Amino acid sequence: MRVTLDTEVLSLMSNKRRASALKSLGVVTVRDALEYFPFRVTPAVRVGSIADIRVGEKVAFPAIVQRFAVYPMSRGGSRALVTVADSGLPGVRRGGTATLVFFSYKRHYIDWLHGRLQEGALIVVSGDASEYNGAVQFTHPQVMVVEHHDSSALIPDIPVSPSSRSSASAPHADAPSVEAALARVSRPQPVYHASSRISSQHIHDAILAILQMLDMQGAQDGAVHDVTASVAAQSATQSASARDAAESIAPPEPTIVDPARIAAQIPDIVPDDLRQERGLMHRAEAFCAIHNPSTPEEFAQGIATLRYEEAFVSQTAMLRERADSHTHRAYPCAAHTTPSAPAKLSTPTASTGLLHAYIGSLPFELTQGQKDVIAQITDDMSHDWPMQRLVQGEVGSGKTVVAIAAMLRAVECGYQAVLIAPTQVLAEQHYESIRRQVGSLPEAEGLPIMLLTGGLKLAQRRKVLATAASGESCIVVATHAAFSKSFQAPNLALVVIDEQHRFGVDQRQALFEGDGPVPHMLVMTATPIPRTAAMTWFGNLDISWLTELPGGRKPITSVVVNEADSSTMGQMFVHIRKRLDQGERAYVVCARIDEDDADSFDEGYDAAPVAPEADLDGDGVPDDAQPAPPLHSVEQMSQRLAALPQFRGVAFATLTGRDDDETKHDVMERFSSGQVQVLVATTVIEVGVDVPQATNIVIFDAEHYGLSQLHQLRGRVGRGGMKSWAFFVTRAAEGSLGAERLEVIRSSTDGAEIARADLELRGAGDVLGDVQSGKRSSLKLLRVVADADVIEQARADAQAVIEKDPTLRGNVQLAGAVLDFMRSTEADAA
């Protein structure tokens, strides 16, 4: 069977259970296996003998099993004690003994160990040496059983049963010789993210086996590719490492895989001249260095090579997409534009100065940032190719004003504009805001401003769809309903997408299908995104930044409250009641909807994932090893707060993603009008909800949210020019990881700084959302904060390659990688 990168792992492995476990990790093909990268590598282990072991060091040594004994533990389970002695091999000091200790509550595991570690078995042990009762001890060490040996020749002075003295093949052998086993355990070991179904060691074994298959196939084909001179350097490094191990017993195992032989199956993606200029390994060489390193330095070089490759491919893809956009035709929206299609706006177009009138009607002065961004957008829209621009703005920086300005430029030129929001609540707020600000302008008389959501009554929906389909100049504010095939707008000149990462690629693409002109696209996000992250995710867009807050906005006071501190909790509730008595409002945010349903998280909840061995609550026990207390729910918290004496006579309401559209609308109306003073909600309020009287927000279980999401939630208050407060209620202990994360949000209101911390703590996919961003599976090694220099260098290199070869016809492998990157992005975002 011929092995390629697309060959399924299941077809190569006889152990189907292990293949199934790999599949559960996303490893289906050979390519998946090679790209399942370890997250770290262990240092090389000193090789020695039991007699010269120093307590506290990690060491590998050959030994003979002298005795296997099992003892019951007082609280159940068993303790296996394996006495081992120095092997008596040439070059090994004799006379040392040690004890290997294994604990387990599973009898079959102890039986399995006994079957492997029989008296007289020759093994190689690797682990951390400790001392117990004056004897050397290893707890749960790595053990490899050697396949064949003559125990009588090695251990004449060690009392073992006669049956074990004969030359025999071990029934559970892991290595053919002591040399092979020592080379295996003493080399730096890659460590992979594992699961309860498969260990890191077994993942490593499977990937090494696949590499060896590719190597054998390359040898049979006689394919030896001139990778680089570094392949020879790799072998030299391995030999040097062996010579430097002063106490090594045998020469190291020969190189398992020859990168030169697998290069034909794993062709390079980065052009040769660029690879050599940047001092990178060949792709095949990098895979070998990562999965079978001879030194930690070699591992690091392999990681650096493939990290650059990811940056280079992603930046090439973005630049290609950006260049392709200029080949499409768009409606030019410049001053004094004559529409290329009939429009039915009752007032003259362009000369009415609708955009100018709107800006003049605002009760505040635009910030310089808003002025600059509006100028950039109007210039972009004046061209006959589509604008593709991302406006990133801090919470409350005035992005909505910029979006309205762009839409007015389109409609005053006789065309149509659509603003798409991720939730009905936000769509309704945008609609009311636009209708209030624009509808009253004399210059906008007769301009249809319409709302399109899934909850509209049939007659209203038909009217909106008919107006859009007629080509009449209009503004439509919509939710996902705008992505349906029933929505047709033949003169659509501008699409504004709010919080674009909440929409899939296929959804966004639906608006740009057809034979006519492609609409200009303006993307808005309040999710703080560092510059290099924006370059990575949105490198195909021009990017504008809104960093100033409009006048009148006051800073929000952020307070972290330990939930166990009843005195501070009481003071917080008293403070909120005083503000409510002043006619203000308060939000209370919970992660869950129902008290009884542990999985009733709202769709918008963006939990900060708990890393292995993370201790968010600071009790000294890793969070993944203990049952977590249930997070507070909307149902529970609304009842609890309403029962407190501090809130006697206060009107409460709840809002979650489960509520139907009519309920959501009614709740927000009552909250905005003051009929409801406290809104207990899930993160459905996270984006765009704008109630100027809301001055307090309380977020329970705050340590479990992402920092960027906490920043977004905090931005729901302080929008009316009044002093405001954000309370982050937590159960995390002082000094814990959870407390450290909350200190970031407490001490900073700088979205870029918060985003950097969030990305460092959580990763790209978690910050923007796995499915919505569509980039998580495509970026396996690249760190958008730490690798800023790599990204910028890769973008410059990609630009140079595209300038020389715009179609990439001379870089076939790169062209294929770019296509794969875009396909995987679209598939993940669909």
Side-chain angles (χ1 to χ4, degrees), residues 175-249:
S177 66
V178 170
E179 291 81 3
L182 283 172
R184 177 70 177 273
V185 301
S186 64
R187 288 170 68 95
Q189 296 293 304
V191 182
Y192 301 81
H193 287 295
S195 70
S196 60
R197 298 179 59 188
I198 186 169
S199 67
S200 173
Q201 183 60 56
H202 287 159
I203 294 171
H204 188 210
D205 292 342
I207 295 174
L208 281 182
I210 288 171
L211 282 170
Q212 286 177 305
M213 291 180 192
L214 292 171
D215 182 65
M216 291 173 61
Q217 184 170 286
Q220 292 171 358
D221 294 343
V224 178
H225 183 76
D226 182 16
V227 178
T228 59
S230 58
V231 176
Q234 176 185 352
S235 300
T237 301
Q238 292 170 343
S239 300
S241 300
R243 288 194 301 272
D244 291 342
E247 297 178 271
S248 65
I249 293 173

Side-chain angles (χ1 to χ4, degrees), residues 572-585:
M572 176 183 72
F573 291 140
V574 168
H575 160 82
I576 292 173
R577 177 57 191 260
K578 289 180 180 178
R579 306 316 305 171
L580 296 179
D581 290 341
Q582 296 296 318
E584 298 169 16
R585 319 270 200 282

Side-chain angles (χ1 to χ4, degrees), residues 34 36-45 182-192 200-201 204-205 207-208 211 233-239 241-242 252-257 259 281 284-304:
L34 297 182
Y36 194 82
F37 299 118
F39 61 91
R40 67 181 178 90
V41 67
T42 64
V45 177
L182 283 172
R184 177 70 177 273
V185 301
S186 64
R187 288 170 68 95
Q189 296 293 304
V191 182
Y192 301 81
S200 173
Q201 183 60 56
H204 188 210
D205 292 342
I207 295 174
L208 281 182
L211 282 170
Q234 176 185 352
S235 300
T237 301
Q238 292 170 343
S239 300
S241 300
E253 178 185 20
T255 304
I256 295 179
V257 178
M281 291 177 162
E285 191 181 358
F287 279 127
C288 293
I290 290 172
H291 295 298
N292 186 38
S294 59
T295 65
E297 293 75 20
E298 185 179 87
F299 174 85
Q301 188 181 359
I303 291 290

Side-chain angles (χ1 to χ4, degrees), residues 59-399:
V59 66
F61 58 90
I64 296 292
V65 175
Q66 189 173 4
R67 183 171 179 265
F68 189 103
V70 180
Y71 302 93
M73 294 190 292
S74 59
R75 296 185 179 181
S78 302
R79 175 170 56 108
L81 299 182
V82 185
T83 304
V84 299
D86 273 323
S87 63
L89 289 170
V92 178
R93 289 176 59 188
R94 308 182 74 176
T97 60
T99 303
L100 316 182
V101 185
F102 302 89
F103 301 93
S104 180
Y105 289 94
K106 298 178 180 179
R107 182 65 195 182
H108 65 81
Y109 173 72
I110 299 296
D111 292 341
W112 175 78
L113 279 177
H114 196 189
R116 286 167 50 83
L117 305 181
Q118 298 175 0
E119 292 182 1
L122 177 59
I123 62 175
V124 166
V125 180
S126 176
D128 295 302
S130 61
E131 185 177 4
Y132 183 74
N133 287 338
V136 176
Q137 178 174 286
F138 293 84
T139 303
H140 285 275
Q142 180 183 358
V143 177
M144 297 192 72
V145 179
V146 177
E147 181 177 358
H148 189 87
H149 73 281
D150 183 355
S151 60
S152 62
L154 295 177
I155 49 172
D157 301 323
I158 297 177
V160 296
S161 60
S163 61
S164 300
R165 289 183 174 274
S166 61
S167 177
S169 209
H172 303 285
D174 301 304
S177 66
V178 170
E179 291 81 3
L182 283 172
R184 177 70 177 273
V185 301
S186 64
R187 288 170 68 95
Q189 296 293 304
V191 182
Y192 301 81
H193 287 295
S195 70
S196 60
R197 298 179 59 188
I198 186 169
S199 67
S200 173
Q201 183 60 56
H202 287 159
I203 294 171
H204 188 210
D205 292 342
I207 295 174
L208 281 182
I210 288 171
L211 282 170
Q212 286 177 305
M213 291 180 192
L214 292 171
D215 182 65
M216 291 173 61
Q217 184 170 286
Q220 292 171 358
D221 294 343
V224 178
H225 183 76
D226 182 16
V227 178
T228 59
S230 58
V231 176
Q234 176 185 352
S235 300
T237 301
Q238 292 170 343
S239 300
S241 300
R243 288 194 301 272
D244 291 342
E247 297 178 271
S248 65
I249 293 173
E253 178 185 20
T255 304
I256 295 179
V257 178
D258 184 353
R261 284 202 293 262
I262 67 172
Q265 291 99 311
I266 308 177
D268 216 346
I269 290 174
V270 179
D272 287 344
D273 56 344
L274 180 58
R275 172 167 56 81
Q276 293 173 14
E277 182 180 349
R278 298 283 167 250
L280 305 172
M281 291 177 162
H282 186 281
R283 194 165 196 247
E285 191 181 358
F287 279 127
C288 293
I290 290 172
H291 295 298
N292 186 38
S294 59
T295 65
E297 293 75 20
E298 185 179 87
F299 174 85
Q301 188 181 359
I303 291 290
T305 291
L306 295 186
R307 187 170 281 154
Y308 172 87
E309 179 191 284
E310 279 191 340
F312 181 69
V313 170
S314 65
Q315 292 307 302
T316 303
M318 293 296 172
L319 291 170
R320 281 290 308 277
E321 187 176 343
R322 186 172 180 175
D324 288 346
S325 68
H326 282 217
T327 65
H328 298 289
R329 186 169 62 91
Y331 290 123
C333 298
H336 309 298
T337 295
T338 300
S340 59
K344 300 181 180 180
L345 184 61
S346 59
T347 54
T349 62
S351 59
T352 61
L354 184 53
L355 171 57
H356 180 74
Y358 165 68
I359 293 175
S361 71
L362 294 173
F364 52 82
E365 178 75 15
L366 293 181
T367 66
Q368 188 58 48
Q370 287 175 312
K371 294 176 182 178
D372 292 342
V373 172
I374 290 173
Q376 291 169 350
I377 290 170
T378 53
D379 179 65
D380 288 347
M381 292 177 64
S382 68
H383 300 297
D384 60 0
W385 63 79
M387 170 183 71
Q388 289 191 303
R389 183 169 291 277
L390 168 70
V391 175
Q392 176 183 306
E394 273 288 359
V395 175
S397 61
K399 297 183 300 299

Side-chain angles (χ1 to χ4, degrees), residues 687-707:
V687 177
V689 173
D690 188 1
V691 178
Q693 296 80 13
T695 58
N696 286 268
I697 185 168
V698 181
I699 304 166
F700 281 90
D701 301 303
E703 73 273 19
H704 290 277
Y705 291 82
L707 296 182

